[in-house]
Amino acid sequence: MKLPGQDAIARQADEHLVTHRVTLPRKVVEHPIRQVAKRLSVALVVLVVTALIVYLDRDGYTDNADETVDFLDAFYYATVTLSTTGYGDITPVTDAARLTNIFVITPLRVLFLIILVGTTLEALTERTREEWRLNRWRSALRDHTVVVGFGTKGRSAIKTVCATGLRKEQVVVVDPSAKAIEAAAADGFAGVVGDATRSEVLKRAEVYRAKQIIIATQRDDTAVLVTLTARQLNRGAKIVVAVREEENAPLLKQSGADAVITSASAAGRLLGLSVLSPAAGMVMEDLIQQGTGLDIVERPVIKAEVGKTPREVDDLVVSVLRGHRVLGYDDRAVGTLELTDRLITIVRVTQGRQVAPDMRPLPRD
């Protein structure tokens, strides 16, 4: 008879036994069984070639048993020779057969051993090589971006930050689904399988050394717990969270999020805008899609723009960032632009134009 809550306790115990493994991207991904099969096939070809060579030159060999060498004897001789067993019951006696052993059979023997021994050594050293890659990756990882959740929102966020010039090696994905992490590794990103609400999982993603953290989980309550855990591990990182319900945004702010994007209400506003004005909806959808048409970006003020008003700038200025304040383009407090200001502008993206490292696309839903 099971007590109430016993199943939940058992599930929690099983979760603690799970090993949260870091998965690094590979350039060439091939199943180990396929690799072994290929090498065994090559070894078999070498064995057959050696047997044929011996059989064609069978008159130059002698068998201590019956003094004749047939096709089976040739395969037997090839097997014991390539494996360096060498019983000595079948031996080359003519000069031609001995020269063939020196210049043909011996190189084939070396090739045969390289194939078999190489496969064994590779299998034995695979774990050591992975540990070495993992340690090197950890030592080189600094100021990276951690993305929790590799769903639609997480993928879009990664695409946006990579458009600014962020290298794939600087992105670490955390997701409870092993298939999602495999997909991330196939795209060139390092991944950690596990529940991001647990601190040991985020530690494997080196979250305490991350520069920015993007949280795009499926549930709002999970997003709150991940935000609390991430903020506890890293006090200085910029944390951006996506939630479904707008009423949960204040809770995320209190949990340590720097910015909260409400996906459900944003989609609802876009739907309403498209009903009232389809053209305005098309423009907003164009702004949301990164890398095509119109893009909204953040960039610094250049020297030629200092002393001008936002309306006098060539680009379409939406807001001005001055210190920690975000001022509208028509705010009287802006006055004229200063060199330390940053501008939020709308630009036209062309095929030949790329976003510069100091031009950052703004976070999208």
Side-chain angles (χ1 to χ4, degrees):
M1 179 178 179
K2 291 186 177 181
L3 297 175
Q6 189 172 358
D7 291 338
I9 295 175
R11 284 195 300 268
Q12 291 179 359
D14 292 338
E15 289 178 358
H16 284 286
L17 294 177
V18 177
T19 302
H20 307 290
R21 185 170 57 88
V22 177
T23 301
L24 298 180
R26 293 176 176 271
K27 294 183 179 180
V28 179
V29 180
E30 189 174 11
H31 198 280
I33 296 179
R34 186 177 300 175
Q35 294 182 0
V36 174
K38 283 184 177 180
R39 298 190 181 193
L40 288 178
S41 300
V42 175
L44 182 60
V45 170
V46 172
L47 179 63
V48 172
V49 169
T50 305
L52 290 176
I53 292 174
V54 174
Y55 181 72
L56 293 175
D57 194 25
R58 57 187 179 277
D59 294 336
Y61 292 81
T62 182
D63 187 352
N64 295 334
D66 55 8
E67 297 183 355
T68 60
V69 177
D70 55 16
F71 197 68
L72 178 60
D73 293 334
F75 262 98
Y76 168 74
Y77 176 78
T79 303
V80 297
T81 300
L82 294 181
S83 61
T84 67
T85 304
Y87 293 114
D89 47 355
I90 300 177
T91 57
V93 293
T94 64
D95 292 341
R98 290 177 177 179
L99 288 174
T100 302
N101 267 261
I102 294 173
F103 295 106
V104 180
I105 304 298
T106 299
L108 289 175
R109 181 189 301 121
V110 174
L111 177 62
F112 187 83
L113 292 177
I114 288 176
I115 294 171
L116 296 186
V117 175
T119 302
T120 304
L121 290 177
E122 183 173 358
L124 293 175
T125 59
E126 179 66 24
R127 185 172 180 179
T128 303
R129 184 165 59 249
E130 281 296 315
E131 288 293 331
W132 180 78
R133 289 184 66 216
L134 185 58
N135 292 333
R136 187 179 63 174
W137 170 76
R138 284 175 174 168
S139 62
L141 201 61
R142 294 289 189 282
D143 295 333
H144 57 289
T145 299
V146 176
V147 180
V148 180
F150 199 63
T152 303
K153 293 180 290 186
R155 292 173 188 264
S156 299
I158 292 176
K159 182 179 179 181
T160 301
V161 296
C162 287
T164 65
L166 184 68
R167 294 179 291 108
K168 290 185 176 182
E169 294 80 3
Q170 289 297 106
V171 177
V172 182
V173 178
V174 181
D175 197 284
S177 171
K179 291 184 178 180
I181 295 303
E182 290 177 2
D187 290 340
F189 305 108
V192 179
V193 180
D195 184 1
T197 61
R198 300 176 60 183
S199 59
E200 58 264 30
V201 176
L202 291 181
K203 286 180 181 179
R204 287 186 176 272
E206 307 293 320
V207 74
Y208 50 87
R209 295 191 295 193
K211 182 179 181 180
Q212 48 201 13
I213 303 170
I214 300 173
I215 301 175
T217 57
Q218 299 296 326
R219 295 168 55 93
D220 289 0
D221 54 351
T222 304
V224 173
L225 293 176
V226 174
T227 303
L228 286 169
T229 307
R231 182 55 73 194
Q232 183 182 14
L233 295 174
N234 192 328
R235 298 291 183 182
K238 183 178 182 180
I239 300 179
V240 179
V241 188
V243 293
R244 294 180 178 270
E245 303 297 333
E246 193 170 1
E247 61 183 10
N248 295 325
L251 181 59
L252 266 300
K253 288 280 189 178
Q254 295 176 4
S255 301
D258 296 295
V260 179
I261 308 299
T262 309
S263 57
S265 59
R269 287 193 295 269
L270 182 58
L271 286 173
L273 179 62
S274 298
V275 170
L276 296 175
S277 174
M282 290 176 59
V283 173
M284 289 302 300
E285 187 177 0
D286 189 12
L287 286 173
I288 292 174
Q289 294 179 355
Q290 175 65 32
T292 58
L294 298 175
D295 266 356
I296 183 167
V297 300
E298 176 188 337
R299 67 170 179 83
V301 173
I302 61 177
K303 292 183 178 180
E305 297 171 340
V306 176
K308 294 183 179 181
T309 63
R311 295 179 183 272
E312 295 174 337
V313 177
D314 294 336
D315 293 336
L316 181 58
V317 178
V318 178
S319 299
V320 178
L321 277 66
R322 180 166 294 170
H324 297 286
R325 296 184 301 166
V326 180
L327 305 175
Y329 72 95
D330 57 348
D331 195 324
R332 294 183 177 179
V334 175
T336 58
L337 297 177
E338 301 174 2
L339 190 60
T340 56
D341 292 340
R342 296 187 68 86
L343 302 179
I344 297 177
T345 64
I346 296 177
V347 298
R348 169 71 63 179
V349 177
T350 59
Q351 189 173 4
R353 178 173 181 173
Q354 295 182 349
V355 179
D358 57 352
M359 272 179 83
R360 299 195 297 267
L362 297 184
R364 309 291 176 85
D365 294 339

